[in-house]
Amino acid sequence: PSSRPEHLPDPVLAMKKIGGLLRPGGCAVLEFPNIEAWDLRVKRRLSGLGLHRKRYPDRYMPGHCNEFSHKSFSILAEITGFEIRIWETYSYIAFANYLLHLAPVGGKARALVQKNE
């Protein structure tokens, strides 16, 4: 199964439901934004200094209920009976993926999780 947990209001329930679809030892791939991405860190820093502001219309409703870093997603996986087997960040720019393999600070994260036996 594949899912996008950042759009779900209750990621614990979602992960438990995914776990219910898997046999012990079964795997799932999940993708979501990486809140610890270098570009988001820069934007947060600039915003804190008053040098960056969001460019959304006044009526904009964000689609993300949750945001994850490697640490926060590890906690989610652990409390819902999963182990992270692979964690990687990536970009839509091919060359950037080489660098992101060395330092996982890309804007998108992909996790292969395995249901505990």
Side-chain angles (χ1 to χ4, degrees), residues 37-51:
W38 71 270
D39 62 328
L40 293 177
R41 288 180 185 194
V42 169
K43 286 178 185 176
R44 283 194 300 268
R45 174 67 70 180
L46 292 174
S47 183
L49 296 171
L51 301 173

Side-chain angles (χ1 to χ4, degrees), residues 5-59:
E6 77 276 13
H7 291 275
L8 304 172
D10 188 345
V12 172
L13 178 62
M15 291 292 286
K16 287 182 178 181
K17 285 187 175 190
I18 291 168
L21 297 172
L22 299 171
R23 295 182 183 137
C27 294
V29 175
L30 298 104
E31 294 186 344
F32 39 86
N34 175 22
I35 193 63
E36 292 297 322
W38 71 270
D39 62 328
L40 293 177
R41 288 180 185 194
V42 169
K43 286 178 185 176
R44 283 194 300 268
R45 174 67 70 180
L46 292 174
S47 183
L49 296 171
L51 301 173
H52 175 76
R53 62 183 173 79
K54 293 182 179 179
R55 297 183 183 130
Y56 301 118
D58 290 338
R59 296 181 185 190

Side-chain angles (χ1 to χ4, degrees), residues 27 32 35 37 45 52 66 69 84 87 91 94 105 114:
C27 294
F32 39 86
I35 193 63
R45 174 67 70 180
H52 175 76
N66 299 284
S69 65
I84 297 176
W87 170 273
S91 170
V105 293
Q114 184 174 28

Side-chain angles (χ1 to χ4, degrees), residues 43-112:
K43 286 178 185 176
R44 283 194 300 268
R45 174 67 70 180
L46 292 174
S47 183
L49 296 171
L51 301 173
H52 175 76
R53 62 183 173 79
K54 293 182 179 179
R55 297 183 183 130
Y56 301 118
D58 290 338
R59 296 181 185 190
Y60 175 76
M61 296 292 290
H64 295 165
C65 302
N66 299 284
E67 296 179 312
F68 297 100
S69 65
H70 184 262
K71 183 177 180 178
S72 64
F73 188 75
S74 295
I75 293 168
L76 175 62
E78 182 179 337
I79 65 174
T80 56
F82 286 93
E83 181 179 340
I84 297 176
R85 294 310 221 170
I86 298 173
W87 170 273
E88 63 184 9
T89 64
Y90 64 95
S91 170
Y92 296 116
I93 301 168
F95 178 73
N97 286 322
Y98 171 75
L99 299 174
L100 295 174
H101 182 70
L102 302 173
V105 293
K108 300 289 184 185
R110 182 180 297 127
L112 173 69

